[in-house]
Amino acid sequence: MTRRKIVAGNWKMNGSLESVVELVQGIQTYATLDVVVAPSFVYLPVVSNMVRDTDIKVAAQNASEQAKGAYTGEVSLSMLQDFSVSHVILGHSERRSLYGETDAQVAQKVAATLAAGLTPILCIGETLEQREAGITLDVCQRQIDAVLDVIGTEEFAKVVVAYEPVWAIGTGKSATSEQAQEVHKGIRDHIAKRSETVAQVVAILYGGSVKASNSAELFAQADIDGALVGGASLDVQEFNSIIESAK
Ligand code: PGA
């Protein structure tokens, strides 16, 4: 089964209006893969407008599970739809560790995102402590099951999973392609226990210190369907090289 590759840039809380515009102008796309960029909420209108006639897709870095109301500081999915956002990064480890997002809350966000017709990019992954304790797959399975139990197996086919070992995020220390492939396969095998078909269609991205020098090797692995790129996606040449290595 050949799954279409996805390269997504997570710009986190970085950039300025000027640098974001410059970055978007420089991004290369190829017909054979999906390129997604996730600017800060405030830059979504500008970026969406810029990419309107291109193949670049736009993601938000979070969304509320609530439809509307008294939730100061939150952004709803319908607001994101107003700006042609197609993907939403959910459950990023920074959201989980710094802002206390739980598995249950992430599951509600995934459900709301799918209900709105957008594609969730569900981030999962273990901490260094958990890896050293030998529970990497247990952690990933728990994070996936929390979502599967809420949305059901069939809907999970529309989810993009991003396996991001927490110890590899922003550290410069990527998982090796073997380490990543092992977990990606473990995740796919776990989904296959519910449905072989769904397991085969689900895109599983790797994230955590992906750069131009390691992307090709990661993308060559059977169960790695692309990348969620943080730091390296802020450098247009570096990001373009990563995109090129996925085509
Ligand atoms: P990084 O971040 O590429 O800077 O490690 C990845 C992410 O947090 O999605």
Side-chain angles (χ1 to χ4, degrees), residues 1 8 11-12 17 70-71 76 78 81 83 100 116 136 180 185-186 212 235:
M1 157 105 210
W11 296 342
K12 308 191 180 183
L17 181 56
Y71 302 101
S76 74
S78 67
Q81 283 175 307
F83 294 97
T136 295
K185 181 167 189 316
D235 178 321

Side-chain angles (χ1 to χ4, degrees), residues 16-224:
S16 61
L17 181 56
E18 197 185 347
S19 73
V20 162
V21 166
E22 208 178 305
L23 202 46
V24 175
Q25 280 169 342
I27 294 172
Q28 287 283 143
T29 57
Y30 299 93
T32 48
L33 75 152
D34 287 334
V35 174
V36 183
V37 294
S40 152
F41 283 126
V42 291
Y43 299 131
L44 285 173
V46 172
V47 173
S48 286
N49 203 31
M50 283 183 76
V51 303
R52 200 191 312 240
D53 298 318
T54 76
D55 290 329
I56 299 173
K57 298 185 157 75
V58 181
Q61 299 174 15
N62 186 22
S64 175
E65 65 275 32
Q66 307 294 341
K68 64 174 181 158
Y71 302 101
T72 301
E74 292 290 291
V75 174
S76 74
L77 284 150
S78 67
M79 292 170 184
L80 297 177
Q81 283 175 307
D82 281 342
F83 294 97
S84 315
V85 167
S86 57
H87 292 66
V88 187
I89 298 173
L90 294 169
H92 189 280
S93 72
E94 287 149 20
R95 300 293 321 166
R96 293 178 191 261
S97 69
L98 302 173
Y99 301 99
E101 287 189 11
T102 62
D103 285 347
Q105 193 181 5
V106 173
Q108 292 306 323
K109 287 175 184 245
V110 171
T113 301
L114 288 169
L118 277 65
T119 301
I121 301 179
L122 167 66
C123 301
I124 61 168
E126 82 289 1
T127 62
L128 185 58
E129 211 180 17
Q130 291 166 331
R131 173 161 284 261
E132 285 171 349
I135 55 168
T136 295
L137 266 184
D138 302 280
V139 171
C140 293
Q141 290 174 359
R142 187 202 76 218
Q143 291 170 329
I144 292 222
D145 285 343
V147 174
L148 269 168
D149 291 345
V150 168
I151 67 168
T153 309
E154 296 313 312
E155 280 290 283
F156 203 85
K158 299 177 196 156
V159 173
V160 173
V161 175
Y163 166 59
E164 301 204 297
V166 178
W167 48 271
I169 297 175
T171 58
K173 191 176 178 290
S174 166
T176 64
S177 49
E178 293 77 21
Q179 281 174 323
Q181 166 58 23
E182 191 187 350
V183 182
H184 281 232
K185 181 167 189 316
I187 294 166
R188 204 178 298 286
D189 288 347
H190 182 66
I191 300 167
K193 286 183 231 151
R194 305 224 191 184
S195 163
E196 182 63 44
T197 320
V198 172
Q200 286 310 311
V201 296
V202 165
I204 309 177
L205 314 184
Y206 168 77
S209 297
V210 174
K211 34 193 180 277
S213 59
N214 62 16
S215 58
E217 206 188 317
L218 286 161
F219 297 156
Q221 306 303 310
D223 290 291
I224 300 184

